[in-house]
Amino acid sequence: MNRQDLITRYTAGETNFNGENLSGQNLSGADLIGIQFSRADLHSALLIFAYLNRAKFTSSNLTGADLSGANLSQADFVGANLHDADLHGALLQGADLRSADLTLANLLNANLIDADLRNANLSGANLSGACLRGANLREENRHYSANLRGANLRGADLRGANLTGADLARVDLRGADLSEATLRGADLRETDLAGANLKGAFLTEANLSSAILRGATLINTKLERAILTDVDMAGADARGALMPDTQLVRAHMAKVNLNAAKLSRADLSRANLRGSTLRDANLTDAYLARADLTNTDLTDASFVRAELSSTNLTDAILTGATMPDSSVHE
């Protein structure tokens, strides 16, 4: 089928083009709102700036297709193959992309607000500058989470996105906005989050081993039982962060603002906290074996029952701090 045949039939009121072969066809700029392309072959098709609102692409083949700038709001891509597709600047607001193959797809500056990306494969995809506010990438039954391994999400807008259990290992999230996002149990090992905004985000039980959080905003971030072994969060703002039972072994935390942070029972053994501020922080039952707290401000902090026997407290400010034996430092 060619472009003219399709347009003629669609204009006449036909919308069912399921299973049709349109590979390589140029449908750029076409008005095809609500069209049905389920199981259709659109391999290498040109759909640049096409109007495909509420279109149905279930299990269709869009490998290498060019959908840049297309309006795909509320479109159905369940199980579709979009490998190496170009979706640069596409409008995918509210689109259903469950189980879609988006490996190596170009989603630069795409609008994915409220899109459903559960079980979608986004490994190697370029999502730099994309907007994923409210997008759903959550895990279901531990086998239904988005695969974002190796994806480029630099500067992406993920405010309020549901990324529970998502695979974000080694992903580039530098400067991304993840405020209020849900990342419970997510895999963020070796992920670059330098300068990212994680204010109020939920990272309970997430794995951030060897992640980079330099200069990140972690104000009121929930990190209960999270793994941050060997993390680099130098210069981060973690005021009021909830970090009880968190593993921070060998963490690089120089010049971090941890004022009023909750670190009860946290493992900070061998952590580097040089020059950090922990005013009014709660470190009850925390383990600080061989931690370096040189030049830290610990004013009014609580160290009740904490392990400080081998901690370096050189030039630390301990005014009003409650020590392990419950005495208050003068």
Side-chain angles (χ1 to χ4, degrees):
M1 180 181 291
N2 60 33
R3 176 191 172 102
Q4 192 54 53
D5 290 338
L6 176 69
I7 299 298
T8 300
R9 289 167 57 182
Y10 178 82
T11 303
E14 187 175 347
T15 59
N16 189 340
F17 295 91
N18 296 331
E20 293 285 353
N21 185 352
L22 290 150
S23 59
Q25 290 299 312
N26 187 349
L27 298 167
S28 297
D31 184 346
L32 300 167
I33 295 171
I35 199 165
Q36 295 183 43
F37 279 138
S38 294
R39 302 177 305 283
D41 186 357
L42 290 150
H43 174 81
S44 300
L46 299 179
L47 293 149
I48 303 166
F49 292 113
Y51 292 91
L52 292 155
N53 318 53
R54 297 191 175 182
K56 196 172 184 67
F57 293 95
T58 307
S59 301
S60 60
N61 180 12
L62 288 148
T63 305
D66 192 342
L67 293 135
S68 52
N71 190 327
L72 297 155
S73 60
Q74 298 181 53
D76 182 349
F77 287 96
V78 174
N81 186 352
L82 287 148
H83 172 77
D84 203 33
D86 191 350
L87 291 142
H88 179 190
L91 177 58
L92 288 148
Q93 187 165 350
D96 191 344
L97 290 144
R98 284 175 295 165
S99 300
D101 183 354
L102 287 151
T103 53
L104 302 179
N106 179 17
L107 287 148
L108 179 71
N109 297 323
N111 183 339
L112 287 148
I113 293 174
D114 296 324
D116 194 338
L117 288 151
R118 287 175 291 171
N119 205 39
N121 190 346
L122 287 149
S123 58
N126 181 7
L127 287 142
S128 181
C131 182
L132 290 108
R133 287 202 308 272
N136 190 359
L137 298 99
R138 75 175 184 269
E139 176 186 57
E140 286 186 2
N141 300 324
R142 303 187 66 83
H143 297 290
Y144 206 49
S145 56
N147 179 5
L148 288 148
R149 190 174 288 253
N152 179 5
L153 283 153
R154 187 172 184 177
D157 185 344
L158 288 147
R159 284 177 285 174
N162 190 338
L163 290 147
T164 300
D167 185 348
L168 290 152
R170 293 184 289 281
V171 170
D172 186 350
L173 280 158
R174 284 175 289 174
D177 191 345
L178 288 144
S179 53
E180 307 296 333
T182 299
L183 293 135
R184 185 184 297 272
D187 187 351
L188 291 146
R189 286 174 294 174
E190 300 180 35
T191 298
D192 194 343
L193 288 148
N197 182 6
L198 289 148
K199 183 178 180 179
F202 292 83
L203 286 149
T204 303
E205 297 175 352
N207 191 340
L208 291 129
S209 297
S210 301
I212 300 170
L213 286 157
R214 280 183 168 266
T217 300
L218 294 158
I219 299 171
N220 298 325
T221 302
K222 288 77 174 175
L223 286 151
E224 299 97 324
R225 300 179 298 284
I227 302 171
L228 291 103
T229 303
D230 295 308
V231 73
D232 182 355
M233 55 188 296
D237 187 350
R239 285 173 290 162
L242 297 175
M243 305 171 81
D245 302 295
T246 301
Q247 295 182 39
L248 288 152
V249 180
R250 295 183 301 276
H252 183 45
M253 303 169 74
K255 297 182 179 179
V256 175
N257 187 342
L258 286 156
N259 289 346
K262 313 302 181 187
L263 288 149
S264 53
R265 300 176 302 282
D267 187 348
L268 289 146
S269 54
R270 297 185 176 84
N272 176 8
L273 288 142
R274 280 177 168 258
S276 293
T277 60
L278 292 104
R279 298 173 68 93
D280 201 34
N282 184 354
L283 290 124
T284 301
D285 292 308
Y287 189 68
L288 293 128
R290 301 195 66 185
D292 189 351
L293 277 73
T294 303
N295 293 317
T296 53
D297 185 350
L298 300 162
T299 303
D300 296 324
S302 174
F303 289 98
V304 175
R305 296 185 302 278
E307 171 55 54
L308 292 173
S309 61
S310 58
T311 305
N312 186 350
L313 290 161
T314 305
D315 296 324
I317 301 170
L318 288 157
T319 306
T322 305
M323 305 310 288
D325 60 1
S326 296
S327 64
V328 179
H329 199 279
E330 297 296 330

